Amino acid sequence: MKLDEAIKKRRSIRAYKTQDVPEEVVDKLIEAASYAPSAGNVQPWKFVIARKPETKKKLAQAAHQDFIEEAPVVIVVCANEQRAEQGYGFRGKTLYCIQDTAAATQNILLTAYSLGLGTCWIGAFNEEQARKAVNAPEEMRAVAMIPVGYPNQARPQRNRIPLSEIMH
């Protein structure tokens, strides 16, 4: 699959088949994430893989999104703010680690699509609840949740703002 196809055809999927996602496939997703750019090559990310129903339920509650617990796997993308701060001070802690984990999240989404998987980038959730649900240490900030599974729905392409309106 060509990169531009994955970029243009990937959709947020909120319904998944019960088919499990093999561990080696999840490993490929995390490996792709690890190749994301990061400020000063700090790589402030940690990825928590949630498969247990009780953990996924807590994550779904943290986001008020029930479909999250239906996914076979949920990846919680976390940022180590302390590591980013050591290299770049306040800006590293408050911005660079978020940008870095966002790039890693996009790599996961695109790689998953190329492997026939559906994902959804969840950014609206109670961070503290999510962090506790996966037993992440206090220095780790939960930045995104990514439910992962084989899609049980098709989503149409949404309208895009014309380039003439977004480019100056």
Side-chain angles (χ1 to χ4, degrees), residues 160-168:
R160 308 314 296 174
I161 298 171
L163 294 180
S164 62
E165 292 182 30
I166 62 172
M167 188 168 47
H168 298 276

Side-chain angles (χ1 to χ4, degrees), residues 16-21 26 48-76 122 125 129-130 132-135 145-150:
Y16 308 95
K17 296 177 182 175
T18 57
Q19 179 182 355
D20 192 27
V21 177
V26 175
V48 181
I49 312 305
R51 290 184 180 269
K52 293 180 181 174
E54 60 271 15
T55 303
K56 294 187 297 179
K57 182 175 185 161
K58 289 177 185 177
L59 292 170
Q61 290 170 342
H64 303 287
Q65 305 245 12
D66 292 339
F67 79 92
I68 292 171
E69 67 181 298
E70 296 170 12
V73 174
V74 180
I75 300 171
V76 180
I122 308 293
F125 57 88
Q129 278 183 286
K132 286 181 178 178
V134 296
N135 296 315
M145 291 185 213
I146 309 170
V148 180
Y150 293 94

Side-chain angles (χ1 to χ4, degrees), residues 82-145:
Q82 290 176 349
R83 190 182 317 156
E85 186 175 34
Q86 288 172 355
Y88 290 100
F90 180 76
R91 193 161 171 87
K93 177 180 179 176
T94 61
L95 178 62
Y96 298 162
C97 69
I98 302 303
Q99 292 174 331
D100 296 350
T101 53
T105 298
Q106 180 73 342
N107 280 8
I108 291 171
L109 301 177
L110 293 174
T111 301
Y113 180 80
S114 77
L115 297 172
L117 295 164
T119 58
C120 187
W121 184 332
I122 308 293
F125 57 88
N126 180 301
E127 286 185 40
E128 187 61 15
Q129 278 183 286
R131 192 185 62 72
K132 286 181 178 178
V134 296
N135 296 315
E138 281 192 40
E139 68 271 10
M140 300 307 294
R141 180 176 180 187
V143 176
M145 291 185 213

